[in-house]
Amino acid sequence: IFRPTAALALTGFFIGLQTQGPVFCAGLVLNPTRTGHFAWGWAVASQSVFLLAVNLRQVLMPIFVKIGENPERQMAAVVKSARVMTAALTLVCGLQALLAEPLLNTFFPTKWQPAGPVITWISLGLVLQGVWVSVSSWLNAMGRYRDLLWISIVPGVSTGLLAYLGANIRGAEGAAIGSAIGALLGSGFSFSQIARINFRGQGKHYLIPLLAVAIVWVTCHLLIIKANGLVSQGILSVVFLIAGGSIWWYSDKEVFKKLLFKKGINGN
């Protein structure tokens, strides 16, 4: 009883460290004002991720338990849920990253405007969080608590350490860049728990659309920087949503149709 209990307790600690660690580590370097900008930007950027991905852990785990007698079907559900959440997060977090600075500059007091780059970078760093949520739910359902602990340690430690390094180099924005890289590395590490065979054929449905949406985002971001006025920036953001959503939709239309209109991720 002690081993799984200890592993779960440590897992909870490192999951909390993913959000609190970067703020603490950045605060060791930054002055109170810049630490406040970083903490506020982190809190704003992460809300959509908690709503769209992290809160689903409690829903996904019983689904994976239910279909545990069919490992092949279970693994397909893990990969499918990771892909669907990634599709949602690339659009929502991408939109956040595009509009963070324009909206802050237009509607918020000047004192909060330095948090704009923080929101942008953190939003980009959290786009793969759905992978971690899906894999961690699956490991929890399978009782693989040691593996669950490892995929929680890596993002918890990497986000904090890289936030500290970034803060030393480039202040609050550097801390945000470091946190974003740490979050991406931590989410990517989750893939190590899934056999490579389960990713055969995933290029078309996962990697290619992810890269395509990234290219669309970079293009829109560069145009928004040059655009004059919030209306033009808003139009470019809508273009990103439509183009990005279309890319994900046509990458695997049948899956998204079933998810939205017929069946859930477990095929029921």
Side-chain angles (χ1 to χ4, degrees):
I1 296 176
F2 174 76
R3 284 187 177 181
T5 302
L8 285 174
L10 287 172
T11 297
F13 170 77
F14 283 104
I15 289 176
L17 200 63
Q18 293 179 34
T19 55
Q20 301 302 322
V23 177
F24 174 79
C25 292
L28 296 175
V29 179
L30 305 175
N31 61 40
T33 301
R34 291 184 177 273
T35 302
H37 289 146
F38 177 75
W40 189 76
W42 177 277
V44 171
S46 62
Q47 289 308 304
S48 59
V49 175
F50 283 107
L51 289 173
L52 294 174
V54 176
N55 288 337
L56 292 179
R57 290 182 68 218
Q58 305 305 320
V59 177
L60 290 173
M61 191 179 74
I63 292 176
F64 295 150
V65 171
K66 181 180 178 181
I67 58 178
E69 295 180 356
N70 189 335
E72 184 175 344
R73 183 185 175 198
Q74 186 187 57
M75 185 55 60
V78 173
V79 175
K80 188 186 299 183
S81 63
R83 187 166 69 244
V84 170
M85 282 189 282
T86 299
L89 289 178
T90 52
L91 298 179
V92 174
C93 290
L95 184 65
Q96 278 187 173
L98 286 175
L99 292 178
E101 294 188 61
L103 290 178
L104 281 178
N105 294 339
T106 303
F107 297 109
F108 284 75
T110 305
K111 66 178 181 179
W112 290 114
Q113 291 178 7
V118 175
I119 298 175
T120 297
W121 284 109
I122 297 300
S123 297
L124 295 176
L126 295 176
V127 295
L128 294 181
Q129 195 71 9
V131 177
W132 179 84
V133 169
S134 184
V135 174
S136 65
S137 300
W138 168 60
L139 293 176
N140 203 359
M142 296 293 292
R144 293 172 53 180
Y145 302 125
R146 183 176 297 179
D147 294 328
L148 175 62
L149 175 59
W150 275 113
I151 70 165
S152 301
I153 288 175
V154 172
V157 173
S158 61
T159 51
L161 287 178
L162 292 177
Y164 179 83
L165 292 175
N168 274 292
I169 297 171
R170 200 173 171 181
E173 185 175 359
I177 294 173
S179 297
I181 294 173
L184 289 173
L185 291 175
S187 298
F189 181 74
S190 302
F191 282 120
S192 66
Q193 299 299 324
I194 302 178
R196 188 172 65 178
I197 191 173
N198 291 296
F199 284 96
R200 290 179 181 176
Q202 288 301 312
K204 176 183 176 182
H205 301 312
Y206 194 98
L207 298 178
I208 292 177
L210 184 62
L211 178 60
V213 172
I215 293 172
V216 172
W217 186 90
V218 170
T219 303
C220 291
H221 177 64
L222 293 175
L223 292 174
I224 282 178
I225 292 175
K226 297 179 180 180
N228 293 319
L230 192 60
V231 174
S232 300
Q233 294 166 338
I235 292 173
L236 287 168
S237 299
V238 173
V239 170
F240 165 73
L241 283 178
I242 295 174
S246 299
I247 289 170
W248 279 112
W249 179 264
Y250 287 106
S251 69
D252 199 351
K253 187 188 299 185
E254 293 304 315
V255 166
F256 290 105
K257 276 186 177 179
K258 290 178 181 179
L259 178 69
L260 293 175
F261 305 117
K262 295 179 181 179
K263 301 178 181 180
I265 60 171
N266 64 335
N268 290 325

